[in-house]
Amino acid sequence: MTINNQQPTTNISISLVWRRLLAFTGLAVITGLLVILTNMQSFAISPSSPSTPHLPNSLPLPQPHLLPPTLTRWQDTTNSGDYFSQVTPTPVGYLVWSEFPVKVYIETPQTIAPKQAQAWVNSVLQAVHEWNAYLPLQVVEKREVADITVIRKNPPLQKLPNSNIPRARSAQTTYDFYSNKNILYHRVTILLSPSQTGQYLLAAARHELGHALGIWGHSQLQSDALYFSQVRNPPPISARDVNTLKRVYEQPTSLGWTLQTRASSKSFRSLLKSKIQNGLPYS
């Protein structure tokens, strides 16, 4: 009888030990899983990549401006089409001027003979005159008041995509942003290589002014002034060039509109300092 009474007690003791052991093991497993899951979550949460652009919240919401009268009146009777699909928006929308006339400063070269310098200026003036038929332009005498500045200077060498070999350019256009009275504006600088003369200088000036006025891209047809490379017989401004320009000015942009907040954030100051370029390579 004594033996029969002790056996269940022993079994109960063993059972209790196993249950405690299982409970302790389960607690350890759960704790381990929680640690693993917590670590997985922390590894999954990572800051944004530094290469990802973040535009400041102070930028104006993109809106279209009214077309200038010259583009409003423009009608293409030849139905030549356009190459608007090749135009790239900038970080603030399309590169549209909102105040007219757009002021152009042409820097007189100082390193060549006066007669050559005047011939150079005259070629650039001719290009300005041609574009003035489609967008109001005004040549100014002071660089500090200019929207577009044209300089006779070699553009820096540029590396082609997927290549480490620098390539010379016959011309280059860059833009940068600034604010005035809390309105977002931009200014443009055009560099024309000293090697460009005659009809090729005129063609380069015509091409780069097209970029400066808003066509931030290239045509695939040699019959357009904004063709991506130089050609033997440079074409004048084509109907396709003007059609493309008109479509650009129908697009929304943040340029020319009031900033939502004061331009004081680091990200906005960085945007103001950014310089983006487009150019015409040697053919």
Side-chain angles (χ1 to χ4, degrees), residues 130-151:
E130 292 176 8
W131 280 111
N132 184 61
Y134 310 107
L135 212 61
L137 307 178
Q138 177 188 357
V139 176
V140 295
E141 300 297 325
K142 296 181 179 180
R143 180 173 181 173
E144 57 268 23
V145 300
D147 301 308
I148 301 172
T149 298
V150 187
I151 304 172

Side-chain angles (χ1 to χ4, degrees), residues 83 204 206:
Y83 48 91
R206 182 189 294 132

Side-chain angles (χ1 to χ4, degrees), residues 99-274:
E99 297 181 2
F100 300 97
V102 179
K103 298 177 177 62
V104 182
Y105 172 76
I106 304 171
E107 184 178 84
T108 302
Q110 302 296 319
T111 58
I112 55 178
K115 187 175 181 179
Q116 290 178 297
Q118 188 58 53
W120 186 89
V121 170
N122 289 342
S123 291
V124 179
L125 283 171
Q126 175 62 32
V128 172
H129 175 75
E130 292 176 8
W131 280 111
N132 184 61
Y134 310 107
L135 212 61
L137 307 178
Q138 177 188 357
V139 176
V140 295
E141 300 297 325
K142 296 181 179 180
R143 180 173 181 173
E144 57 268 23
V145 300
D147 301 308
I148 301 172
T149 298
V150 187
I151 304 172
R152 182 181 182 270
K153 181 180 179 181
N154 275 318
L157 296 177
Q158 297 292 322
K159 291 182 180 180
L160 295 174
N162 302 320
S163 173
N164 291 324
I165 302 175
R167 188 181 185 188
R169 290 178 178 268
S170 61
Q172 178 182 277
T173 297
T174 60
Y175 65 77
D176 62 280
F177 305 109
Y178 70 98
S179 62
N180 183 26
K181 297 180 179 179
N182 216 38
I183 296 177
L184 181 63
Y185 294 106
H186 70 300
R187 59 173 70 88
V188 172
T189 301
I190 296 174
L191 302 181
L192 300 175
S193 172
S195 65
Q196 298 297 291
T197 59
Q199 65 173 342
Y200 298 108
L201 170 59
L202 173 58
R206 182 189 294 132
H207 179 108
E208 299 305 318
L209 278 168
H211 287 321
L213 296 179
I215 305 177
W216 204 247
H218 287 106
S219 167
Q220 302 300 308
L221 298 184
Q222 293 189 19
S223 55
D224 298 329
L226 273 289
Y227 181 61
F228 65 84
S229 184
Q230 286 188 325
V231 295
R232 184 180 298 274
N233 296 307
I237 298 170
S238 69
R240 280 167 45 86
D241 291 322
V242 185
N243 290 342
T244 302
L245 186 68
K246 185 171 184 177
R247 287 200 61 184
V248 167
Y249 276 78
E250 293 171 341
Q251 307 307 313
T253 182
S254 293
L255 292 167
W257 298 107
T258 303
L259 297 164
Q260 297 186 51
T261 59
R262 297 293 299 179
S264 58
S265 69
K266 181 179 179 181
S267 58
F268 188 76
R269 290 198 301 271
S270 176
L271 176 68
L272 294 186
K273 294 178 181 178
S274 66

Side-chain angles (χ1 to χ4, degrees), residues 8-23:
T9 304
T10 302
N11 291 340
I12 292 171
S13 300
I14 294 173
S15 176
L16 182 61
V17 169
W18 273 109
R19 270 186 277 177
R20 288 179 177 177
L21 181 61
L22 288 174

